[in-house]
Amino acid sequence: MVGQVQVLGAGECGLTLAHCLVRGGSSVTLVTDRDAEAILAGTVTSTQVKFPRTLDLESDAGLGFWRTSAPNIEGIRFTMAVDRTAVATWAGRLPRPAQSVDQRTVFARWLSEFLAAGGDLRVADPSVTDVDRAAADYDLTVVTRASRELAACFEDDPAWTVPAAPQRRLAVLYLDGVQPDPHHLGTYTALPEHGEVISYPGLTGRPGQERRCEITLFEARPGGALDVFDQHGTPAQRLRQAKQLIDEHLPAELAERYRGAELTDAGATLVGAVAPAMRRPVGTLPSGSPVLGGGDVVCRMDPGGAQGANNAVHCAIRYAEAILHTPDGRYDRDWMEWAAAPWLTAVAHPAARWTATVLDPPPAMQELMLAAQHDSTLADAFAATFARPSSMAQFAAAAPS
Ligand SMILES: Cc1cc2nc3c(=O)[nH]c(=O)nc-3n(C[C@H](O)[C@H](O)[C@H](O)COP(=O)(O)OP(=O)(O)OC[C@H]3O[C@@H](n4cnc5c(N)ncnc54)[C@H](O)[C@@H]3O)c2cc1C
């Protein structure tokens, strides 16, 4: 008999895990701060491009509701631009398309599916003391929300050095009225010294009323020309600033696509920064009870590598397999280390390495990015590495000798 499991946080990791466990016949309590209506009434939380292996996992878990309706992102159109002039440009195709669906849409739908499948949902924002007390009632507690207090129960992983501060300041806009890329590619525009502008088609809207949009992410190097967005700015101000940056920095043919851009809804913007973290996967509550961490709690990365949501879903699937294959329900500290190891080694650590490399490419990588202009195999290999960061070595190997 699989034990009673409590999952804290209903995002990419928590919802996927809770759903798989309920489907596997386990008794699950999911604790999160917002119900579906509150999520839909809120602001966007990510740009969440997911690569085919992640989409396959979701489909296999019965969660791939948008596979045929979400626009395909067939690859990456890379441009390095200086003073609105493209100094390097190439297009790399993904082996299979990626997709992006607004997390508000996804989490709201997945929450209702979880309830329909008989899951127990508690809407609450428990303190660490509350979590500790409740953990005694469960065989296993999995933490997938990284509030500062709870995250502090997980030690930093001493094997990793992560930057002390966010490497980019972020602004996200979900837009209507953007002309689609003619080849269904996502665009990745690097502006040396300033950061990147990343944009691709996605789906947004209430479940059942989804519609296509463009999802645009500004990755501003602190102090650079893209670093203009104010945490307290209004959505209208952010749209104005975004359009101005696009006009001032992107090559004209790219900027032209945004001429008619409007926000999709009142919650269509997000401004902030992600401080990277790499923690040990097993935390300790004040009482001494161990808890298993998943997703961003353990491995949090800047969005520039497009890895966090993918990583969180892979984590959930591996944890669900481990839990459902442990019939005696004994989830002690050693078991938790065992359950986390495959995900960390195969997915999280390569994703973190790739993200660090892409945000601050070493000279050899910069040369590869330029060489890709004249070598479509290299361009495709670069695109494929986003989808499978553990293949980074193959990317380097694809370089011309
Ligand atoms: C701007 C931006 C763009 C991104 N783009 C990409 C991308 O293109 N591709 C990609 O793979 N990743 C991307 N990411 C990263 C990705 O969104 C995260 O890594 C992923 O959502 C992490 O999943 P998670 O389950 O760990 O946490 P989350 O998905 O954040 O879920 C945590 C959940 O916990 C709940 N919660 C939070 N606080 C509390 C509380 N106090 N009490 C109870 N519940 C609480 C929240 O409601 C939330 O649902 C991006 C992130 C950002 C910020």
Side-chain angles (χ1 to χ4, degrees), residues 9-14 31-34 45-49 103 107 124-126 144-145 147 170 172 200 217 270 274 294-297 303 306-310 312:
E12 298 287 359
C13 188
V31 184
T32 191
D33 57 344
R34 295 182 303 163
T45 46
S46 180
T47 56
Q48 75 276 309
V49 68
Q103 282 185 338
F107 296 171
D125 180 359
T144 75
R145 58 114 168 146
S147 73
L170 315 168
V172 175
Y200 36 78
L217 168 64
L270 173 73
V274 174
D296 273 10
V297 173
Q307 295 302 315
N310 293 277

Side-chain angles (χ1 to χ4, degrees), residues 377-390:
T377 308
L378 199 52
D380 291 350
F382 186 82
T385 308
F386 275 94
R388 194 186 278 269
S390 58

Side-chain angles (χ1 to χ4, degrees), residues 155-325:
E155 282 175 19
D156 288 340
D157 186 334
W160 285 77
T161 309
V162 290
Q167 291 149 285
R168 298 286 191 274
R169 299 215 176 107
L170 315 168
V172 175
L173 298 96
Y174 281 46
L175 299 168
D176 283 325
V178 176
Q179 287 168 25
D181 179 271
H183 299 103
H184 313 289
L185 302 174
T187 55
Y188 186 107
T189 309
L191 305 170
E193 322 239 316
H194 301 310
E196 299 81 27
V197 183
I198 302 166
S199 194
Y200 36 78
L203 271 195
T204 187
R206 179 171 277 279
Q209 300 169 19
E210 294 92 339
R211 67 181 203 281
R212 188 190 163 107
C213 65
E214 183 79 10
I215 300 175
T216 303
L217 168 64
F218 290 84
E219 286 258 308
R221 285 185 186 267
L226 299 180
D227 187 9
V228 300
F229 295 95
D230 179 353
Q231 285 266 16
H232 305 292
T234 64
Q237 282 166 343
R238 292 171 180 173
L239 176 63
R240 241 187 341 266
Q241 288 172 311
K243 283 181 150 181
Q244 195 172 341
L245 288 177
I246 285 170
D247 279 341
E248 285 173 3
H249 295 282
L250 265 48
E253 64 279 10
L254 200 48
E256 186 55 35
R257 291 181 46 213
Y258 295 82
R259 195 69 57 212
E262 294 297 339
L263 297 175
T264 55
D265 62 276
T269 67
L270 173 73
V271 168
V274 174
M278 187 62 81
R279 302 195 178 96
R280 298 288 311 142
V282 184
T284 307
L285 295 173
S287 65
S289 303
V291 280
L292 179 61
D296 273 10
V297 173
V298 177
C299 175
R300 191 172 60 213
M301 299 165 273
D302 185 278
Q307 295 302 315
N310 293 277
N311 186 44
V313 170
H314 280 261
C315 173
I317 299 291
R318 298 211 177 206
Y319 282 8
E321 284 167 1
I323 293 166
L324 294 170
H325 288 98

